[in-house]
Amino acid sequence: MSKSNKIKASDLFVQALEAEGVEYLFAVPGEENLDMVESLRKSTIKLVLTRHEQGAGFMAATYGRLTGKTGICMATLGPGATNLATPAAYAHLGGMPLIMITGQKPIKKSKQGQFQIIDVVGLFAPICKMSKQIVHGDTIPSLVREAFRLSEEERPGAVLLELPEDIAAEDCIEKVVTPHKRHYAHASDLVLEEAVTLIKSAKMPLILIGAGANRQNVREAMCNFVHATRIPFFVTQMGKGVVDERSSLFLGTAALSAGDYLHCAIERADLIINIGHDVIEKPPFFMEQGGKTVIHINYKSAQVDQVYFPQVEVIGDLAASVDALKVKLGGEVKFDRRYFEKIKLAIDEHIEEGAGDDRFPIIPQRFVADIRKVMGDKDIIALDNGIYKIWFARNYKAYQPNTVLLDNALATMGAGLPSGMMAAMLNPTQRVMAICGDGGFMMNSQELETAIRLGLNLVVTVLNDNSYGMIRWKQASAGFDDWGLEFGNPDFVKYAESYGAIGHRVTCAQDLIPIYEKAFSAGGVHLVELPVDYSENQKVLIDELAEKVCLI
Ligand SMILES: Cc1ncc(C[n+]2csc(CCOP(=O)(O)OP(=O)(O)O)c2C)c(N)n1
Ligand SMILES: [Mg+2]
């Protein structure tokens, strides 16, 4: 082989990424990644530096979630890699295609002893679909292709490739493997007929839309199915927006697992047509032995647990299954809908409560309603994790797919800002708002610098209750004393300004909408500090629900 046919391994790696259509690589490089950095410099891929590996990982995973194409992040060995563990778990549970590339000391000869060396491949194995060290440059094309195949194939998830320094620098002769379109097998006619018989004979069927139905190629089929059959639907938190929630058939979001107003309808249903939900999300309801029938419609069979053991499974290409069922059902499914209609009315009235409440610090019902008013149909909110997530899930109607980005799988704090940044990067003309608690925001607030550097248009709302409010709420509802969960905060306005962002402090409820309007029309990165009163948590989510009676 002549020298001219040879290619450096890191160049080959980057060529393989280019062949897959990679646009961005999010990273905090270490010296072990420098060959990759040099190869990226000569490529069409944009290197996006972040201020913590979590920022890189959450952004890349969100890229995967929003586009359906694998997001790529890179970190060094040891401490860089361990910082990617949370994003890996986020993508793994959340079904987001993600490839992580980590560096490593040379594997053929090393003069560094065990300095910084931990078993990264072993560490990531349980939270990845594949975790592998590259031991020869010529395996790069097939391994990279394999990483994309696995990360994108249902259920999507995370893959780790470890590229040691000496392998990155070696000469190779292989060529990239070009990707091709993937097709899933279709469910058999036999099982589709079985599902149709069950649906037609049900007295009170309901559709449940879960995270798996929130994929680009499924949404249209899903909307057609709901509108043709006119079966009322409810959604999991990650199924929000697949079908416009302004629909008269929308009952609500199962933000709680039991005992919410929506569960009055779920309890009455004798059949749940479960499209795309799997057990990684907090259960939208609990199945019981001898209870209702559940048809599980998904790419993969159901992972059975104590509260989920569907009796019928329609497994195969989800869009094809939903289309086939629609055709076989032949239009509207007739049954007595009156009870579901009453529940819908009750839920819609409940959501309206508090929407115009002027109290300050502001109550959750008011800020959710106000934010809904300032966000257009296609505008995006990206939530971190805290008690407000339940309020948004229940009260904020999503009109379009992926316009409510929340994490009901790993439910990690710290992803709200980076996921909002990714949404803003991909949708520069839409309004995008990251919504974080004061706890979660401070876990990755340093990425404000990245947001400024990238020139994003992003509004970050920080809900200030000087505490880990969600845990305080759980503590109170468990009957424990209010103790140990409060902290102090920086001056958020000055903090934002020190990054070059624009800071706003809300001082009365009426100011919220005008501040948002001003921030969105000005463009750039804005932080809005919003003092919140969480006393409604106990009242609305515990006391009132405990007293609710379903017999309307
Ligand atoms: C990384 C991580 N650590 C801890 C938790 C547990 N946890 C869930 S919500 C929460 C408190 C959130 O506080 P904050 O961000 O201020 O939101 P709030 O509920 O106060 O609105 C904690 C500690 C978590 N989900 N993720
Ligand atoms: Mg808080």
Side-chain angles (χ1 to χ4, degrees), residues 45 59 128 169 210 254 296 334 337 378 383 399 420 487 492 498:
I45 299 170
M59 286 187 80
C128 281
H296 174 93
K334 298 268 190 302
R337 300 147 176 274
K378 291 188 173 168
L383 305 182
Y399 305 155
F487 47 65
F492 284 115
S498 72

Side-chain angles (χ1 to χ4, degrees), residues 365-384:
Q365 297 94 315
R366 172 71 189 258
F367 66 70
V368 173
D370 279 6
I371 290 174
R372 184 60 281 188
K373 283 182 197 138
V374 297
M375 303 306 274
D377 286 21
K378 291 188 173 168
D379 295 341
I380 299 170
I381 58 169
L383 305 182
D384 203 86

Side-chain angles (χ1 to χ4, degrees), residues 384-388 411-413 436-441 443 463 465 467-471 487 534:
D384 203 86
N385 269 278
I387 180 66
Y388 52 89
T412 182
M413 293 163 75
C436 309
D438 43 5
F441 172 69
M443 286 196 181
L463 302 168
D465 67 337
S467 61
Y468 293 124
M470 171 89 175
I471 310 305
F487 47 65
Y534 274 150

Side-chain angles (χ1 to χ4, degrees), residues 42 91 104 164 175 178 190 205 358 478:
K42 298 177 285 181
Q104 189 53 279
K175 299 236 163 6
T178 36
L190 213 66
D358 282 339

